[in-house]
Amino acid sequence: MHYDTIIIGAGSMGMAAGYYLAKEGKKVLLIDANRPPHQKGSHHGETRIIRYAYGEGHAYVPLLLKAKQLWEEVEKESEMELFLQTGVLNIGSETSFFMKEVKTSAEKYQLPLDVYTHETVNTKWSALHLDEGMVAYHEPTSGVLKCEDCIEAYRRLSLSYGAKIVTDSVITDLSIIEGIVNIATQDGHYSGDSLIVSAGAGTNSILSYLGLQLPLNPIRKTFAWYEAQEDVYEAKQFPAFTFESPLGHYYGFPSIDGSGLKLGRHDGAVQRIVSKQEVQPFNEDDEKELTTFLGRYFTEKTNVQFGKTCMYTMTPDEHFIIDQHPQYENVAIAAGFSGHGFKFSSVVGHVLSELIRGKTSSVDISPFTIERFAELKR
């Protein structure tokens, strides 16, 4: 049971990496403690926003444009609808870092971007009520990825190219001896020439076997669906959005296939650091936080249908880690996606498939090295 590459964590990045490696003819094994797509990580909740004029930093844009290309390719190959072009509204103060970076990204990479005043937004989308002085940057070519369908597409294609996927399987031991990766689970033993670790909130528990701990903090986050007037919030009428406000940084989705308006909070004054097993279910305080925001900036009064929790795995600077292990060149790591990583999973999976084959990454990943954290320098 020897493989070219073993991937621990078959969620967003891992499943994509498995696909690209298997498509190259590599013998690939993916191991996951759950059964992706599932409800216990960071990839569930039906939808994720994909935007290209990027408020987190214009250095991300080349990765996003490559991700866009790769999403289109897998959508075509899988014959599944993975992307909805709803457009995305970026709302906030034009002096904020986030909004400045959205505008800089659009200018630097010649991305389509419509600039609206608060009056224009309030007229164009009557459900919104922006404060005086707020601006909105509308990206008409951006939209929504069906996140669980994306993982399912990669899963099906990986299997079609010969990859093996072992689910509901917990790692009990891991070592690298004379360059060979040796893995034990409660179900069996496996070996491989190389290893990819993309285990989300469980990354450090895996890396501990290899003498490495990354500065990763799992954070509990929540989101909910609200009843929606379809002629107002339906996806052909209403865009996805990110919204910086005095109440916090929120994000949301139009009603897709009658699901209702979806809303979540990206930041949060109180961030509860939890273990993967301690995530508390959506509660009244979570609902109150989201509903207060809706009441302040939306004109349509609505009731919550249901809420869910998910995990952010945060780095100190909220930027990703995509790198090789400091001591083992045949180990690649993807972690710390800090609540804004899913849209990148196509390109991150592709990059991991390049790194593990000894190739230079086709996109610049220099901002995402492990060594930027002083205590972990090689």
Side-chain angles (χ1 to χ4, degrees):
M1 302 181 72
H2 187 84
Y3 295 85
D4 295 318
T5 301
I6 299 175
I7 300 171
I8 299 177
S12 312
M13 318 302 170
M15 199 72 84
Y19 159 75
Y20 289 112
L21 285 167
K23 193 173 183 179
E24 288 290 326
K26 301 301 181 183
K27 190 177 181 182
V28 179
L29 171 68
L30 298 102
I31 303 174
D32 200 278
N34 297 288
R35 190 179 293 269
H38 57 75
Q39 304 288 309
K40 297 180 180 180
S42 302
H43 64 245
H44 69 284
E46 299 181 8
T47 50
R48 292 292 185 276
I49 294 173
I50 182 167
R51 45 197 168 82
Y52 311 113
Y54 210 57
E56 286 82 353
H58 62 269
Y60 282 94
V61 177
L63 277 79
L64 284 160
L65 297 179
K66 180 66 174 179
K68 178 179 185 292
Q69 172 201 326
L70 294 171
W71 284 124
E72 290 169 352
E73 290 175 1
V74 74
E75 186 174 47
K76 182 178 180 180
E77 186 177 0
S78 67
E79 298 181 336
M80 295 173 65
E81 182 186 57
L82 305 179
F83 171 71
L84 300 174
Q85 189 175 324
T86 63
V88 175
L89 268 182
N90 301 273
I91 300 168
S93 167
E94 62 183 344
T95 62
S96 75
F97 174 84
F98 186 92
M99 296 295 281
K100 285 180 178 178
E101 285 298 296
V102 170
K103 198 169 185 181
T104 298
S105 297
E107 292 170 350
K108 183 176 178 65
Y109 294 96
Q110 299 181 317
L111 303 173
L113 193 72
D114 304 316
V115 179
Y116 296 134
T117 64
H118 76 281
E119 296 100 334
T120 302
V121 171
N122 294 346
T123 300
K124 189 174 179 67
W125 293 283
S126 60
L128 286 167
H129 180 74
L130 273 59
D131 290 339
E132 183 175 353
M134 284 183 168
V135 296
Y137 300 147
H138 178 243
E139 301 177 75
T141 59
S142 296
V144 175
L145 290 168
K146 296 183 175 181
C147 51
E148 291 160 64
D149 288 347
C150 289
I151 293 175
E152 178 61 20
Y154 276 132
R155 188 190 71 84
R156 293 181 188 178
L157 291 172
S158 297
L159 292 172
S160 75
Y161 285 114
K164 181 179 179 181
I165 303 174
V166 176
T167 59
D168 302 311
S169 186
V170 176
I171 305 297
T172 58
D173 195 22
L174 168 62
S175 63
I176 298 179
I177 301 172
E178 296 183 353
I180 299 298
V181 178
N182 300 282
I183 293 176
T185 73
Q186 76 268 36
D187 306 307
H189 293 75
Y190 311 95
S191 65
D193 295 329
S194 58
L195 173 68
I196 292 173
V197 180
S198 56
T203 294
N204 272 337
S205 67
I206 302 301
L207 293 178
S208 64
Y209 290 108
L210 302 179
L212 180 64
Q213 291 288 278
L214 300 176
L216 302 174
N217 287 318
I219 303 295
R220 174 187 180 273
K221 303 301 292 184
T222 63
F223 51 94
W225 284 262
Y226 286 78
E227 295 172 357
Q229 189 176 328
E230 286 296 311
D231 61 347
V232 175
Y233 288 113
E234 197 274 330
K236 293 179 181 178
Q237 309 292 329
F238 198 79
F241 60 88
T242 67
F243 200 132
E244 281 193 322
S245 78
L247 296 179
H249 192 164
Y250 289 77
Y251 63 91
F253 299 80
S255 180
I256 297 170
D257 298 328
S259 62
L261 178 73
K262 178 184 170 185
L263 179 70
R265 184 169 182 178
H266 177 64
D267 66 345
V270 178
Q271 295 187 325
R272 288 160 283 189
I273 301 174
V274 296
S275 76
K276 202 173 182 181
Q277 289 74 32
E278 294 174 347
V279 181
Q280 299 300 311
F282 187 85
N283 58 47
E284 291 182 4
D285 290 338
D286 302 321
E287 179 182 341
K288 182 179 179 181
E289 181 178 66
L290 298 177
T291 303
T292 298
F293 173 82
L294 278 180
R296 176 67 182 81
Y297 292 105
F298 284 71
T299 61
E300 300 287 329
K301 303 308 176 187
T302 182
N303 297 314
V304 69
Q305 297 184 92
F306 59 91
K308 291 186 177 182
T309 61
C310 71
M311 299 285 286
Y312 283 7
T313 304
M314 307 294 290
T315 62
D317 58 11
E318 299 186 15
H319 297 302
F320 310 157
I321 296 172
I322 310 169
D323 203 353
Q324 290 164 290
H325 191 288
Q327 280 78 48
Y328 302 104
E329 291 187 356
N330 62 336
V331 178
I333 301 166
F337 289 94
S338 302
H340 63 115
F342 186 87
K343 63 184 78 67
F344 295 89
S345 52
S346 60
V347 67
V348 172
H350 191 267
V351 166
L352 290 170
S353 75
E354 293 173 322
L355 291 179
I356 214 65
R357 288 181 289 143
K359 293 191 171 187
T360 302
S361 172
S362 54
V363 292
D364 181 16
I365 57 170
S366 60
F368 310 123
T369 61
I370 289 173
E371 66 183 6
R372 75 181 189 270
F373 303 109
E375 69 274 18
L376 296 171
K377 283 188 176 179
R378 299 174 187 179

